[in-house]
Amino acid sequence: MTMPISKKIIFYVLLAVSGIIVFAPTLMAFMMSFMSNKDIMTGSLPTSLSFDNYVKAFGQFPLLKYLFNSFFISIIIMIGQLLLSSLAAYAFVFLEFKGRDLLFYLFIATMMVPFEASIIPNFHIIRDLGWIDTYQGLSVPFFAMAFGTFLLRQNFRQIPKELREASQIAGMGDFKFYLTVVLPVAKTSLITLGVYGFLTSWNMYLWPLLSTTNDSVRTVQIGLKQLQTQEQLNDWGVIMAGAIIVVIPTLILLFLGQKKLQKGLTEGALK
Amino acid sequence: MSMSNAVVRTTELKQLDFEQIKKKQRTKSFLKGMMFLLPSIVLFSIFLFYPLLRTIYLSFFLTDAKGVTTVFVGFDNFINMFSSPIFIQSIQSTFLFVLYTVPVTIIISLFLAVIANEKLKGIGFFRTIYSSTMGISVAAASVFWLYLFHPTIGMLNVILGTLGFENIGWLTDPTWALIAVSVTTIWMNIGFTFLILLGGLQSIDTYLYESADIDGAGYFYKLRRITIPMLSPTLFFVVTVTIINAFQTFGQIDILTQGGPQNTTNLIVYSIYREAFVNYQFGSASAQAVVLFIIILLMTLLQFKFGERKVHYQ
């Protein structure tokens, strides 16, 4: 069915106005990151654009180190989550054993415990393990993930049971079946979950704030906070350059995977 | 006689064998299941279940600066907490914050999802724009808005100034600070909520709209009678998630206001953080964490009970 032209115009106007409002803060930060401090302070339109702010941000702060740390930690968490979630989801879908339903409810129960409510003992555990300022301290607590398990369980259930029976008759063990059949079939869901895991890990704030005390493993989010608080001259251009560097990887990932992410998240959330 | 006896004995023996094999197999499949689940169970135990129990335990004690329990005080931490005006204010601010952010987030995101669900040329571009805030971290978003709220050079006050209004101390005026933090939060939430709601809209059967079109139903009639009812499971989900997220707010507060002015933005997680990691009062901080846990638990249960009756399930 085609829409009358007048209705089309109304929709485009609504879409455009909403788009401008939603995107304005990001666009403004992007512009500011190329502007001189004088232009920003006087509130004038940019008289000149340059990469000076970026050069300054990288020069004054170990941003490169922070970026590497964030990448490394996010990828470790992503892999850990994919591995643990897919193993657990496999057990819930393909294996039958006593206590399975009970364990499933236990997984559901974990979703009701906010990490923030248990952050004090968690901090003490990491400290007692000597994991403060380490990559494992920043990543291992996030490997187990109920949401990921549910999302993959949903996907694994669509794999026909006959396939497993056939593989069992052919003498294929469960682990081999998991590796060679289930994981390749569920590739799309794994990618979705991976993107989601990466995004949330990259954007983590409270935990890296607590569990890092120096630059060695500090993430870029905490680096940005430091940039903002230590920038004595209130050099907004430099701060915005830092912020843009922080959001570019996740924005690119989001733009590439938006469709899949939307489909995957809706499925995991609702079925 | 003897022959039939023998037959009985062999069937008994077979049954015994069978039972044994079954039992063995059951143990085997249990072990196998555990093998797949053990990594998750171990990590959940160490970083979730144990800390939860430990939080409850700590809430009955005083501790030293290292977090070692020193004196058992029973319910004193809770009694002190609920008689402390600062904590009462923190609870009030938190509920007010939920009230400010959740409905507005849902309404704006629903509006965006509805207009972005039309089959128009270039719609993908708008969808990307609307979901973009999901890719922006709390630290970056807070820095963006920190500038927008800046008293003299911030965009918002500049606009107010050109319209002839007086400047507002967005982050320093106690009447405005919580609203400013809420605005930032709503903006950050839009991306995720929009994406989920759009997914919900797209999964509605187009057949429903086609038959409504045949009956000559108008746009808003279809929106009210088909879209919203069919979307209710998704709406139910995003409301729950947004509420729980609101209770867990931390990063915006840390960068924008540090709980001030006059503790008006001292939301519960920030309050826990300050009590534990600035004042080193792990006992009373744990008592606050227990309250947070109970609130979220109740919210979840309430949502389930309340949601089930009102929600239209396909």
Side-chain angles (χ1 to χ4, degrees):
Chain A
M1 200 187 76
T2 49
M3 217 184 270
I5 197 94
S6 60
K7 214 170 162 189
K8 253 188 193 171
I9 292 172
I10 294 176
F11 270 113
Y12 274 118
V13 169
L14 285 176
L15 284 165
V17 171
S18 315
I20 290 166
I21 295 172
V22 171
F23 207 55
T26 313
L27 199 64
M28 174 212 69
F30 186 72
M31 289 292 291
M32 281 170 74
S33 72
F34 294 104
M35 284 161 66
S36 71
N37 205 33
K38 203 178 125 230
D39 283 347
I40 294 170
M41 285 312 212
T42 52
S44 78
L45 285 171
T47 49
S48 64
L49 298 173
S50 72
F51 281 98
D52 287 356
N53 293 325
Y54 288 89
V55 175
K56 258 197 211 164
F58 276 104
Q60 290 171 357
F61 282 85
L63 268 187
L64 224 47
K65 177 87 187 147
Y66 295 156
L67 278 172
F68 172 79
N69 290 337
S70 276
F71 262 112
F72 190 68
I73 291 160
S74 304
I75 283 174
I76 299 272
I77 294 179
M78 187 182 83
I79 293 171
Q81 285 178 343
L82 286 177
L83 195 70
L84 265 64
S85 299
S86 61
L87 282 171
Y90 183 89
F92 285 132
V93 173
F94 291 105
L95 302 177
E96 267 168 42
F97 57 92
K98 224 179 154 198
R100 192 183 73 167
D101 293 341
L102 189 81
L103 282 171
F104 189 68
Y105 284 119
L106 200 74
F107 270 67
I108 292 180
T110 64
M111 292 184 99
M112 293 187 184
V113 184
F115 185 69
E116 287 77 4
S118 59
I119 198 134
I120 297 163
N122 262 310
F123 176 75
H124 291 151
I125 291 168
I126 295 296
R127 185 197 59 195
D128 295 343
L129 286 170
W131 282 8
I132 296 287
D133 293 322
T134 63
Y135 289 122
Q136 61 267 36
L138 280 161
S139 56
V140 176
F142 304 99
F143 283 179
M145 185 196 195
F147 173 72
T149 308
F150 296 149
L151 194 135
L152 292 179
R153 173 176 165 266
Q154 215 48 55
N155 197 256
F156 290 179
R157 275 165 78 170
Q158 287 159 11
I159 298 169
K161 281 259 179 349
E162 291 80 16
L163 212 60
R164 174 153 182 269
E165 279 155 24
S167 76
Q168 275 177 327
I169 292 164
M172 193 191 266
D174 271 299
F175 194 69
K176 199 169 174 204
F177 181 66
Y178 157 81
L179 266 182
T180 56
V181 180
V182 175
L183 289 189
V185 168
K187 206 173 75 186
T188 326
S189 291
L190 289 170
I191 292 173
T192 309
L193 185 61
V195 169
Y196 179 77
F198 187 93
L199 277 177
T200 44
S201 314
W202 180 271
N203 291 343
M204 262 195 309
Y205 186 83
L206 178 55
W207 187 245
L209 184 71
L210 289 177
S211 60
T212 59
T213 58
N214 59 42
D215 287 344
S216 67
V217 298
R218 184 165 285 153
T219 65
V220 78
Q221 308 295 340
I222 309 307
L224 181 59
K225 179 196 154 94
Q226 297 224 308
L227 188 67
Q228 180 254 316
T229 45
Q230 288 175 22
E231 196 52 62
Q232 274 140 8
L233 293 169
N234 241 351
D235 202 340
W236 282 100
V238 176
I239 298 171
M240 290 307 180
I244 292 298
I245 291 166
V246 170
V247 299
I248 278 180
T250 41
L251 278 185
I252 290 174
L253 204 60
L254 190 72
F255 292 164
L256 292 177
Q258 179 225 322
K259 261 203 183 120
K260 271 184 189 156
L261 204 62
Q262 174 204 328
K263 204 165 157 272
L265 290 179
T266 324
E267 274 173 8
L270 294 171
K271 281 183 192 160
Chain B
M1 190 71 179
S2 65
M3 225 170 78
S4 67
N5 249 352
V7 169
V8 169
R9 211 171 299 146
T10 42
T11 46
E12 248 174 25
L13 220 85
K14 261 186 194 160
Q15 239 167 12
L16 217 76
D17 248 20
F18 187 64
E19 282 295 317
Q20 239 169 8
I21 289 170
K22 232 168 96 180
K23 207 172 168 189
K24 220 174 172 181
Q25 215 134 42
R26 232 186 273 154
T27 328
K28 217 178 130 192
S29 62
F30 178 76
L31 285 178
K32 204 194 285 167
M34 288 311 281
M35 222 172 66
F36 278 86
L37 285 172
L38 210 59
S40 291
I41 293 174
V42 168
L43 288 187
F44 274 142
S45 307
I46 299 175
F47 296 111
L48 200 123
F49 291 117
Y50 168 73
L52 183 65
L53 296 176
R54 177 86 185 160
T55 304
I56 298 169
Y57 176 79
L58 281 177
S59 69
F60 295 111
F61 286 89
L62 293 181
T63 66
D64 61 15
K66 279 189 170 164
V68 181
T69 54
T70 50
V71 189
F72 176 80
V73 292
F75 283 96
D76 277 7
N77 284 329
F78 290 93
I79 294 165
N80 291 339
M81 185 170 75
F82 282 112
S83 52
S84 144
I86 294 178
F87 181 73
I88 298 293
Q89 193 188 14
S90 165
I91 290 283
Q92 273 173 350
S93 301
T94 309
F95 275 96
L96 214 56
F97 177 75
V98 172
L99 207 66
Y100 288 165
T101 54
V102 177
V104 182
T105 301
I106 304 287
I107 289 167
I108 294 178
S109 308
L110 184 62
F111 169 75
L112 295 177
V114 167
I115 61 171
N117 193 33
E118 296 293 332
K119 285 187 189 66
L120 291 166
K121 229 182 203 163
I123 201 77
F125 171 75
F126 291 106
R127 288 178 185 168
T128 306
I129 294 287
Y130 299 157
S131 59
S132 67
T133 69
M134 188 186 162
I136 291 169
S137 72
V138 61
S142 304
V143 165
F144 293 176
W145 285 88
L146 192 66
Y147 166 76
L148 286 167
F149 290 133
H150 193 282
T152 50
I153 60 165
M155 189 74 82
L156 293 177
N157 272 351
V158 169
I159 293 172
L160 281 180
T162 43
L163 292 176
F165 290 102
E166 251 179 71
N167 277 1
I168 290 176
W170 295 101
L171 299 172
T172 47
D173 185 338
T175 51
W176 284 100
L178 193 62
I179 292 171
V181 175
S182 301
V183 170
T184 311
T185 309
I186 291 165
W187 183 73
M188 285 168 50
N189 285 346
I190 284 175
F192 176 79
T193 320
F194 162 78
L195 216 54
I196 301 283
L197 287 175
L198 183 64
L201 286 178
Q202 286 172 341
S203 67
I204 297 175
D205 203 338
T206 47
Y207 167 77
L208 287 170
Y209 292 105
E210 279 157 19
S211 53
D213 283 334
I214 292 167
D215 294 340
Y219 179 80
F220 287 101
Y221 184 85
K222 281 187 282 183
L223 194 68
R224 208 157 43 92
R225 286 302 167 91
I226 300 173
T227 312
I228 303 292
M230 293 307 282
L231 196 64
S232 56
T234 319
L235 275 172
F236 168 60
F237 170 76
V238 291
V239 168
T240 317
V241 171
T242 323
I243 290 180
I244 291 176
N245 278 346
F247 277 107
Q248 290 168 294
T249 299
F250 176 80
Q252 317 67 317
I253 307 290
D254 190 44
I255 290 182
L256 290 174
T257 60
Q258 287 90 44
Q262 294 164 31
N263 290 320
T264 44
T265 60
N266 188 22
L267 302 188
I268 186 152
V269 175
Y270 196 78
S271 169
I272 294 170
Y273 165 80
R274 219 159 46 174
E275 193 72 358
F277 301 104
V278 180
N279 301 334
Y280 298 106
Q281 301 292 325
F282 292 108
S284 49
S286 295
Q288 294 188 14
V290 170
V291 171
L292 172 68
F293 171 66
I294 291 172
I295 290 175
I296 290 193
L297 192 71
L298 283 180
M299 282 290 157
T300 323
L301 296 178
L302 212 79
Q303 281 281 330
F304 270 114
K305 221 175 136 72
F306 177 75
E308 232 162 344
R309 263 184 286 125
K310 278 213 155 178
V311 168
H312 170 95
Y313 285 107
Q314 280 139 302

